[in-house]
Structure formats: C-alpha cells, structure tokens
Amino acid sequence: MDELEFRRRIMSDPKCRDSDIVDTMRANENNNKFAEDILELDAQIAKAMNVDVPEDLADKILFNQSSRQQNNVVKPNFFKRSMALAASFAAGLMVSQVNWGNIVVPSAQASLATTAVQHVFDEQPFINNLDEEVSKLQINTKMAPFAHQLGQNFPYHVYYLNHCGFGESNALHMVFKGQHGKVTLFLTGIASSKVETFADQGLSGVIEPLDDFSLIIVGNDGEDVTNIAKNIVNILKPM
C-alpha cells in the first residue's frame, strides 16, 4: 500500500487496523504517528460533540429574547432549543476540522468541477515532491478499468499515477508536467453531457465527455487546459 492510499484510508476510518494498515504502520514510523494522531483527533471530536447543556440555558435564552421583544413571544420548546444549540456547536467544530471534498452541488457538471478542484488541493501535499517517471504501460494498466487505452505514448512527463476515490465513484488520478506548473488529470466513471470549462481558487479546468466517462483536466491559471484535453482525447482509444 502506498502512502497516499494509507493516509486516505486512515482519514476515512481512523480506527481501521486491518492487516494492510498495520503492516504499513510498522514499516514507517511517520505513518504510525500519522495514524495515532488522526485517531486522537477523532477522539477529541467525539468528546467535543458530547455537549452538556446547562439546565438554565433555556430560561436565559427566553429572558434575553423577551427583553428585546415587547410583543407576544412564542416560547420555544426547551428540547428543540437545546438540540439546535448542540447541533450548531458540533457542526462548527466539524467544519473546522474536516475538509469536505465531496460536497454535492445542484449541477452534475459543477459537482465534477468542484470535486476535481478540491481533490487537487487535498492531495497536493502528498504528491508534490513525487516523480515516478510513469510509463505508457503503467498508464494503460491503470486505465483498463475505465475502458480506454493510449494509442501512442503520452505526450507529457508524468510525475504521479494512481486510482482514487472521486465523489461517489472512482477515478484514474494522474499528475504531469504543463507549461505553467503541474497539471492533474482525472478519468472517472461519472458521465458528463458536454464540454465545459471552469475556474476556481487559482485553478482552471475542463471537463470532456468520453462515452460513459469524463476526462477532467485541472491546471494553474494560464494553463491551456482545453488544448491539453484535446491532445489527450486524440490519443485515447476505447477498449
């Protein structure tokens, strides 16, 4: 198991200790510390969410509210008020601790773009210094589950290649050299209806439909992601 997959599994389930996870922890002290830190953070979140509501909280809230409003005031149910306060606190804590990469947005195309951009930011620290010098054979092996293959050599130097979780599906995740820094490619089993470009948080991207799949290219602002996508689509062949 590589380090990226190990970290992803630990963050999704801090208490997971199956054989692959344990072997990876034993092989690398940094991985072991990371797993223990995430487990401790999980415990802290659980403890923080167990909020004891003061017995006189409802009376204080009602007193403050009635002092501002002289007209008829409908007194809220104490249980509902307490639960709302606890839920609000827990939600604030979770938002501050968790990076929500798979937020659902109304448009399917927008969801692909949002997920891709968030994924780039989330995994950048783990892959930024990697250079695996990926070959065409390796790319085709990883592309097999997505029913496409390269018809010729990939035209860019590839630093990183793997599979990853992508929203409710999976994706081929590739990082390669562009004109303005590193470019990320996702090939996912989520279908898209049309070509669409997007820009967000200093990144620009394009979504290209490929039968029942979607090719997503994300690069820094100024990168010609549309041209890159066309170059890659031209050498991709359905299996």
Side-chain angles (χ1 to χ4, degrees):
M1 181 189 304
D2 62 30
E3 182 176 332
L4 185 60
E5 178 65 19
F6 170 79
R7 287 173 177 259
R8 185 185 294 112
R9 289 180 58 182
I10 286 295
M11 292 183 73
S12 64
D13 184 5
K15 296 180 181 178
C16 177
R17 291 296 183 273
D18 61 24
S19 58
D20 290 344
I21 292 292
V22 172
D23 289 345
T24 306
M25 290 172 62
R26 288 173 176 171
N28 189 311
E29 181 59 28
N30 289 334
N31 287 341
N32 184 67
K33 185 177 185 304
F34 178 83
E36 295 302 320
D37 288 345
I38 294 298
L39 186 62
E40 182 180 352
L41 175 61
D42 186 65
Q44 290 174 356
I45 292 173
K47 182 178 179 181
M49 292 179 68
N50 187 18
V51 180
D52 290 326
V53 180
E55 292 183 358
D56 62 344
L57 178 62
D59 293 333
K60 289 181 179 178
I61 293 174
L62 292 174
F63 175 80
N64 290 336
Q65 187 174 18
S66 62
S67 67
R68 294 193 302 268
Q69 299 178 357
Q70 299 301 321
N71 298 326
N72 292 333
V73 177
V74 178
K75 295 185 178 182
N77 178 281
F78 172 65
F79 175 78
K80 291 182 179 179
R81 178 72 70 174
S82 301
M83 291 300 294
L85 182 66
S88 177
F89 176 82
L93 176 67
M94 291 298 291
V95 168
S96 69
Q97 295 290 343
V98 180
N99 201 338
W100 299 98
N102 298 330
I103 300 299
V104 177
V105 294
S107 164
Q109 298 274 109
S111 181
L112 285 173
T114 301
T115 302
V117 169
Q118 192 62 54
H119 213 83
V120 170
F121 282 119
D122 287 347
E123 298 200 348
Q124 196 171 52
F126 306 121
I127 64 179
N128 202 39
N129 296 320
L130 296 179
D131 187 356
E132 299 176 340
E133 298 183 355
V134 178
S135 68
K136 174 187 173 183
L137 177 61
Q138 291 172 302
I139 295 173
N140 280 339
T141 300
K142 292 289 188 181
M143 274 191 176
F146 303 95
H148 285 79
Q149 298 277 272
L150 294 175
Q152 62 188 64
N153 287 334
F154 195 75
Y156 308 97
H157 178 82
V158 180
Y159 299 105
Y160 173 80
L161 177 71
N162 210 337
H163 290 149
C164 66
F166 193 89
E168 296 181 356
S169 184
N170 297 313
L172 172 78
H173 182 179
M174 181 191 300
V175 179
F176 57 90
K177 185 177 182 180
Q179 293 293 322
H180 299 279
K182 293 181 178 179
V183 177
T184 302
L185 174 154
F186 298 104
L187 178 59
T188 179
I190 303 173
S192 51
S193 59
K194 60 181 180 178
V195 176
E196 185 170 321
T197 59
F198 58 88
D200 189 15
Q201 302 182 66
L203 299 175
S204 58
V206 61
I207 302 169
E208 286 269 357
L210 284 176
D211 301 321
D212 295 328
F213 301 88
S214 293
L215 177 72
I216 307 167
I217 304 295
V218 184
N220 294 321
D221 278 348
E223 193 73 59
D224 192 348
V225 290
T226 300
N227 186 59
I228 291 174
K230 288 180 179 177
N231 290 341
I232 295 174
V233 169
N234 286 338
I235 64 172
L236 283 179
K237 308 296 179 184
M239 294 176 62

